[in-house]
Amino acid sequence: MNLYRGCTHGCIYCDSRSRCYRMNHAFEDVEVKINAPELLESELKRRKKRCMIGTGSMSDPYMHCEEDLGLTRSCLKIILKHGFGLCIQTKSARILRDLDLLTAINKRAKCVVQMTLTTFDEELCRLIEPNVSTTQERYEVLKKMQEAGIPTVVYLSPVLPFINDTEENLRGILDFCFDAESVGILCFGFGTTMREGSREPFYAALDTHFAGLKQRYIRSFGSAYECTSPNNETLLRIFQSECRARNVMCEVGEIFDYLRKFPSDAAYGLPLFDI
């Protein structure tokens, strides 16, 4: 479920800005699906078999507007009431506002919090992802979920060539993940993607913060969609070796299977309560 369309986080690499998604207005001018809770309620009432419900990655469910609108919280209440599971993806520490609901869903069925981490250095993070919780703040969310017994999966993507595609950055993020006992780390390779609509604001950000780097991107990748780091193979070896040594899931297929799997022993018969 995507409760919003557009985003205010301002991440310079955002693929959701791409014109193929047909956003006909400024990306930061967020559209609100005000009837989403009613649609979700109607859909879940008709379902004969419970399953995992996921949030999409086109827009974050904990943007600034969620503070006033509370659409995500309303939908979590509905998911809990009907005994479904939840996979929720965010970059924001605002998710802690709903820790009570996340914990209740996890006790009754299953809840997995997915958190994106790309940049270990806090100052660099503020340039790349300017309007969202820093990596340190997101790590603290992972620790809170660990304390609450809620499993977490980290999205290690994208990693920008010539900016944060270093062993130091990778190991810093992995240390956070391992310390928070995340069950899996999703990595689709080290690099980023660009296409019409997302390339232009990305290059504008490079001109603002990284003098001369736009020209290096143009020389290295031209108009390619996939922009793979020259350090990709080395970083992948480190990533897979470190994850396997700690028994942390790192295969994409295995992680998605885990996210989709609804527990067979979910407590359908538990009494409901008001929150």
Side-chain angles (χ1 to χ4, degrees):
M1 59 182 186
N2 282 301
L3 307 180
Y4 302 103
R5 193 161 185 257
C7 190
T8 56
H9 284 344
C11 303
I12 68 172
Y13 51 71
C14 182
D15 177 72
S16 298
R17 296 176 180 272
S18 300
R19 291 187 184 171
C20 62
Y21 300 121
R22 299 181 181 179
M23 287 282 289
N24 297 319
H25 54 74
F27 190 66
E28 292 77 13
D29 183 14
V30 176
E31 293 179 74
V32 179
K33 301 180 183 180
I34 57 174
N35 64 337
E38 291 80 8
L39 293 174
L40 179 64
E41 179 88 52
S42 175
E43 179 68 24
L44 298 192
K45 282 181 178 178
R46 295 199 301 267
R47 287 269 177 170
K48 295 181 179 179
K49 185 178 180 181
R50 291 171 176 84
C51 63
M52 299 298 293
I53 297 174
T55 57
S57 57
M58 291 294 294
S59 60
D60 197 297
Y62 289 103
M63 287 182 291
H64 304 76
C65 54
E66 174 64 15
E67 293 183 10
D68 297 322
L69 298 174
L71 277 186
T72 299
R73 185 168 180 85
S74 295
C75 289
L76 296 190
K77 289 181 180 180
I78 295 167
I79 291 168
L80 173 61
K81 182 174 74 171
H82 291 282
F84 282 72
L86 173 71
C87 292
I88 189 163
Q89 183 178 356
T90 186
K91 293 178 182 175
S92 176
R94 289 187 188 88
I95 192 172
L96 293 175
R97 294 166 180 241
D98 292 337
L99 185 58
D100 55 344
L101 290 171
L102 301 174
T103 301
I105 292 170
N106 194 49
K107 287 180 177 177
R108 190 174 189 213
K110 175 182 174 184
C111 176
V112 183
V113 170
Q114 302 165 87
M115 183 67 72
T116 300
L117 302 179
T118 67
T119 310
F120 180 68
D121 181 270
E122 290 288 278
E123 292 185 11
L124 182 59
C125 176
R126 276 294 181 213
L127 295 180
I128 294 173
E129 300 158 341
N131 303 323
V132 69
S133 302
T134 66
T135 299
Q136 177 67 36
E137 291 167 337
R138 287 177 244 172
Y139 160 67
E140 291 167 3
V141 171
L142 295 176
K143 292 294 288 183
K144 291 288 186 182
M145 297 302 162
Q146 179 190 21
E147 293 170 7
I150 297 172
T152 58
V153 167
V154 168
Y155 274 67
L156 179 54
S157 175
V159 175
L160 304 178
F162 319 127
I163 296 177
N164 58 348
D165 57 338
T166 65
E167 181 176 345
E168 179 184 15
N169 184 61
L170 171 60
R171 291 192 181 277
I173 292 173
L174 290 179
D175 285 346
F176 278 157
C177 298
F178 298 149
D179 184 63
E181 297 183 344
S182 294
V183 299
I185 306 173
L186 267 170
C187 178
F188 305 98
F190 292 87
T192 190
T193 58
M194 286 192 292
R195 49 188 161 189
E196 187 180 9
S198 60
R199 180 179 284 106
E200 295 83 357
F202 178 71
Y203 279 168
L206 293 186
D207 281 340
T208 300
H209 301 296
F210 306 96
L213 195 53
K214 179 178 76 173
Q215 287 71 27
R216 189 174 182 185
Y217 264 79
I218 292 171
R219 290 194 303 269
S220 299
F221 307 117
S223 59
Y225 170 63
E226 294 186 1
C227 306
T228 303
S229 165
N231 302 326
N232 179 60
E233 292 185 7
T234 299
L235 295 177
L236 269 178
R237 282 196 298 269
I238 296 170
F239 167 71
Q240 292 170 348
S241 175
E242 294 294 333
C243 287
R244 289 166 181 162
R246 291 164 176 80
N247 200 30
V248 173
M249 289 186 289
C250 62
E251 298 296 333
V252 173
E254 181 183 15
I255 294 173
F256 279 120
D257 286 344
Y258 167 77
L259 294 173
R260 295 188 191 104
K261 186 176 181 181
F262 186 80
S264 58
D265 59 347
Y268 299 151
L270 282 182
L272 301 179
F273 51 90
D274 293 328
I275 296 181

